[in-house]
Amino acid sequence: LYFTGKEVQIDSVQLARGTVIQLAALYTSIASLYTENSVTEYRGAWVRPTQTSYAEVEAYVKKAYDAGLNMLSVETLYSCTTIYPTPSGSLLEHNPKFGNFDVLDAYIKACHKYDMELHVWMPVFYSGSNGDANWKRSVAYKKSKWRLTSQRNSPLDQNETYGLVFLNPANSEVQDFLLETYEYILTNYDIDGFQLDYIRYRDRTANDDYGYDSGTIEAFKEAYPKYANYSITYNTDAAYWNDWVRFRASHVTKMVERVRALVDRVAPEVMLTADVGPSSNEAYSSLYQDYKTWLANNWLDMIHPMAYGTDYSPFMVDFQKWANDSCLVVPGLGTYMEEFDADDMVKQTRDMLNVGCDGVVYFELSAFF
């Protein structure tokens, strides 16, 4: 009996009927191993961990498992600090409220105990809020020159006193630092997915736009010499505007490409995923997030369009077209939104599955419960 590909060749003049039946069953078994099956439906939730012991973590994970979830995306950096002990010399600090407890390791062990996937939910360019109690522990506080600034030379919108502070995607030192951080996680923790959140610029608003530090503007003029004598300001009607958007988006895209290369090099079994705006036009023009290029280059294994609200099903059809079977489309649904009850969320989930999505992920787990 020779097995090659999907064909079975039998060299014999005569076989007993029972032998033929056994061989037929063997062929069926072998052929099934060469059949591509659809992926299990993802039923996930984002988690901001607060537990301070393994027992608390396992109880929370089991509650999620009993509720039918099979994936948790655990926020690994929040309140300006990490949920895991950082290596010596890192600019990042472990959140003091956890003491020496490695929350990330505990979630990994608990999720794997229940055959659930554990994805690191990693804010990329968002560093923290300057109103947070841990603000002085943040990278943005320690490295003020790395901050992303507006046309007013501020990391904040003009109406804010406290708010989100981002790192500058166009700064190569920022990207190098983040990649070093991610390599540490990928090589020291048995995770199933690495999720890029805030893989973008801070939102452009009517008042403010971001990326106007002198280094970025000089680099833009070098890349586009025809604008060498222009004063680059927040002006959507300016001759340079479309190229200025494209230039900033290219730095975000470069970061995705570099993380993809990192994952392939040190942890090829880990899925690379990303959270993105649901409208490609708005994401590109306001967040400088060009995820159609990411998908065209097969850099992502899963994408989470943040479909917080209603009537997003047509957008998901577009995502599946752009993903072209090389990337799973698993939209995020807003269980945190007070205007929706459980029946609304069931309907939104079914709507996403009916248009062919590979599951959903809920923001966030406490609201899901």
Side-chain angles (χ1 to χ4, degrees):
L1 175 65
Y2 301 95
F3 174 68
T4 311
K6 290 188 177 179
E7 295 183 359
V8 173
Q9 301 170 358
I10 303 172
D11 284 356
S12 181
V13 176
Q14 237 178 4
L15 288 173
R17 182 173 180 274
T19 303
V20 172
I21 292 173
Q22 290 175 2
L23 291 174
L26 177 62
Y27 169 76
T28 300
S29 177
I30 293 172
S32 68
L33 299 176
Y34 278 73
T35 302
E36 183 175 352
N37 296 309
S38 61
V39 69
T40 299
E41 172 188 302
Y42 275 90
R43 300 182 298 276
W46 282 285
V47 183
R48 170 168 286 183
T50 58
Q51 298 78 20
T52 56
S53 72
Y54 177 77
E56 291 178 350
V57 169
E58 184 182 341
Y60 201 54
V61 170
K62 185 178 185 301
K63 185 178 179 181
Y65 171 80
D66 290 341
L69 301 182
N70 58 20
M71 176 185 76
L72 294 182
S73 297
V74 178
E75 192 170 19
T76 306
L77 190 157
Y78 74 91
S79 188
C80 305
T81 50
T82 68
I83 65 169
Y84 64 91
T86 54
S88 176
S90 175
L91 286 171
L92 288 167
E93 296 185 34
H94 191 197
N95 192 321
K97 78 176 183 180
F98 295 121
N100 295 321
F101 179 50
D102 191 333
V103 185
L104 177 57
D105 182 66
Y107 263 93
I108 292 169
K109 289 176 178 175
C111 283
H112 290 174
K113 177 178 179 178
Y114 293 99
D115 289 329
M116 299 174 71
E117 288 191 12
L118 185 286
H119 292 214
V120 160
W121 164 18
M122 177 58 69
V124 179
F125 295 118
Y126 167 50
S127 183
S129 169
N130 68 339
D132 193 284
N134 288 320
W135 166 241
K136 290 187 177 181
R137 301 177 186 271
S138 72
V139 173
Y141 177 82
K142 297 173 184 177
K143 290 282 190 178
S144 59
K145 291 183 178 179
W146 285 5
R147 295 175 195 169
L148 180 67
T149 56
S150 71
Q151 78 283 359
R152 296 180 300 102
N153 195 34
S154 170
L156 305 177
D157 187 88
Q158 67 181 31
N159 295 323
E160 293 179 329
T161 302
Y162 299 105
L164 310 185
V165 179
F166 279 62
L167 301 178
N168 185 359
N171 187 318
S172 61
E173 291 183 352
V174 167
Q175 292 205 10
D176 290 345
F177 162 74
L178 294 176
L179 287 164
E180 180 182 345
T181 299
Y182 302 163
E183 182 167 358
Y184 177 82
I185 295 172
L186 288 164
T187 55
N188 286 278
Y189 291 92
D190 182 24
I191 62 176
D192 301 294
F194 194 94
Q195 181 184 120
L196 307 175
D197 192 20
Y198 289 97
I199 181 68
R200 58 178 179 83
Y201 277 66
R202 183 172 174 173
D203 313 46
R204 177 169 70 87
T205 68
N207 297 319
D208 286 287
D209 187 34
Y210 296 87
Y212 290 82
D213 59 285
S214 60
T216 301
I217 290 175
E218 289 172 10
F220 172 66
K221 291 182 176 183
E222 289 179 8
Y224 294 88
K226 61 183 177 181
Y227 304 125
N229 296 321
Y230 281 71
S231 176
I232 306 302
T233 62
Y234 180 16
N235 181 1
T236 59
D237 295 322
Y240 54 76
W241 184 255
N242 289 339
D243 289 327
W244 181 223
V245 169
R246 184 178 299 109
F247 180 72
R248 286 176 288 175
S250 72
H251 292 291
V252 179
T253 293
K254 184 64 176 179
M255 185 63 180
V256 176
E257 182 182 16
R258 295 183 72 187
V259 178
R260 175 77 266 173
L262 172 65
V263 171
D264 288 346
R265 177 171 61 84
V266 304
E269 72 284 356
V270 173
M271 300 178 71
L272 182 60
T273 74
D275 304 331
V276 300
S279 166
S280 61
N281 290 335
E282 291 181 10
Y284 179 74
S285 62
S286 297
L287 307 176
Y288 313 127
Q289 192 177 61
D290 183 15
Y291 50 73
K292 286 199 282 187
T293 294
W294 313 348
L295 293 171
N297 283 284
N298 300 325
W299 291 336
L300 298 178
D301 300 302
M302 183 188 297
I303 194 164
H304 300 300
M306 294 177 287
Y308 302 152
T310 57
D311 304 321
Y312 282 105
S313 294
F315 291 84
M316 299 310 112
V317 174
D318 288 336
F319 272 97
Q320 291 171 80
K321 177 182 64 179
W322 301 325
N324 194 28
D325 296 328
S326 66
C327 176
L328 301 173
V329 178
V330 182
L333 302 184
T335 49
Y336 74 96
M337 301 176 74
E338 294 182 358
E339 60 265 43
F340 299 128
D341 61 18
D343 289 338
D344 293 322
M345 299 315 303
V346 169
K347 181 182 184 305
Q348 290 182 28
T349 300
R350 287 176 174 161
D351 287 345
M352 295 303 174
L353 298 178
N354 286 339
V355 296
C357 292
D358 299 290
V360 297
V361 56
Y362 298 103
F363 187 79
E364 43 69 55
L365 187 56
S366 63
F368 171 82
F369 286 141

